[in-house]
Amino acid sequence: MRIVLLGAPGAGKGTVAKLLTEFDGSVQISTGDILRNAVKAGNELGKKAKGYMERGELVPDDLIMDIMEARMKDPDCQKGFLLDGFPRTIPQAEALKKLFEKIGMKLDAAINLDVPTDVILDRLTTRRTCSNSDCQEIYNVKSKPPKADGTCFKCGSPAVQRADETEEAIKQRLTTYNEKTSPLIDFYKKEGLLVIVKSLDSKEIANEIIKAVKK
Ligand code: AMP
């Protein structure tokens, strides 16, 4: 399947994307993960992105489009992809549309994970992420804690709080979402691709998406 996952930070895009990859082998493409790996590696992209990310602001569109154009040409994307955290602005959505036209691809749907703000805030402050860049399993200290010593069940690396999950950065990320990303809901509605999902249960959400895409 070829879908865009929309929703505020903490809406569950990453968790749902991971469940969907198990369904049909579509690959999860998370611009946030790509950028965090670049910051960790200390490469050119990472150096350019680091400051924006730590402040909870968006990385400039041209940097993101360079990453995505290259990534979508990779052979594993031919099976399908789950875009997690991209597009994040109207110019990114328009550039993606043009890119699809150029390479002769079509989106199946844009899924909006509609989660109340109080749930989002609670999730972001309690979220822990495996620090191993090849794993990045997502935990929650309340509902899905890591091992008692704080390490990941899958790979044993420490599960940590992300640098942009301080209260201040979270507030900024939500403001950025409301200003820059939420207009995409209307954009995809006009494109006839919008599907709204209101469930808070990731397995239920994944099943709803599978049903919507099959239609
Ligand atoms: P995420 O893990 O998707 O919440 O992304 C973490 C951070 O990476 C965001 O707060 C942004 O600074 C940056 N980022 C991720 N995806 C994008 C994007 N599509 N456009 C601009 N910045 C992005």
Side-chain angles (χ1 to χ4, degrees):
M1 69 176 89
R2 296 188 188 118
I3 62 168
V4 165
L5 287 164
L6 298 171
K13 300 185 293 294
T15 307
V16 169
K18 284 195 174 71
L19 287 175
L20 289 172
T21 57
E22 287 161 23
F23 169 70
D24 71 352
S26 300
V27 289
Q28 174 189 12
I29 306 179
S30 157
T31 38
D33 285 350
I34 294 171
L35 292 167
R36 274 184 290 280
N37 289 342
V39 170
K40 215 169 165 190
N43 60 24
E44 265 320 290
L45 172 66
K47 280 182 202 151
K48 286 182 188 158
K50 192 169 188 271
Y52 296 103
M53 294 175 76
E54 282 176 355
R55 289 190 298 274
E57 294 167 11
L58 292 181
V59 171
D61 289 336
D62 51 349
L63 269 186
I64 298 289
M65 288 317 300
D66 287 349
I67 300 174
M68 287 308 294
E69 279 215 47
R71 181 67 184 93
M72 296 195 76
K73 286 179 189 150
D74 287 341
D76 62 344
C77 290
Q78 304 315 310
K79 269 193 183 173
F81 41 76
L82 315 154
L83 301 182
D84 159 13
F86 170 86
R88 212 72 162 226
T89 62
I90 294 283
Q92 288 181 19
E94 277 165 354
L96 179 66
K97 195 177 163 188
K98 280 207 188 108
L99 178 63
F100 278 147
E101 281 163 9
K102 195 166 97 185
I103 57 181
M105 266 189 193
K106 259 184 149 181
L107 266 186
D108 294 320
I111 315 289
N112 184 37
L113 305 185
D114 188 5
V115 177
T117 310
D118 55 330
V119 178
I120 293 276
L121 282 172
D122 186 58
R123 277 190 190 165
L124 287 176
T125 48
T126 52
R127 177 154 80 179
R128 299 292 180 269
T129 307
C130 174
S131 54
N132 172 359
S133 54
D134 292 328
C135 177
Q136 310 208 38
E137 183 71 3
I138 298 165
Y139 292 95
N140 181 290
V141 290
K142 290 185 192 165
S143 58
K144 186 193 166 193
K147 282 191 210 164
D149 63 356
T151 56
C152 173
F153 278 105
K154 281 199 171 163
C155 75
S157 305
V160 298
Q161 192 159 23
R162 280 169 34 177
D164 61 358
E165 283 171 356
T166 60
E167 218 178 295
E168 204 179 327
I170 288 170
K171 268 193 206 143
Q172 181 55 48
R173 284 165 70 203
L174 291 176
T175 305
T176 306
Y177 170 78
N178 288 329
E179 282 173 6
K180 306 261 173 70
T181 309
S182 64
L184 291 182
I185 298 172
D186 223 41
F187 177 93
Y188 283 112
K189 194 174 174 185
K190 286 188 187 133
E191 295 280 310
L193 289 169
L194 185 70
V195 176
I196 298 171
V197 180
K198 283 186 180 282
S199 169
L200 298 182
D201 179 273
S202 33
K203 283 192 184 136
E204 213 173 273
I205 298 171
N207 286 333
E208 276 190 45
I209 295 173
I210 290 166
K211 256 193 240 158
V213 169
K214 274 186 186 162
K215 264 190 200 161

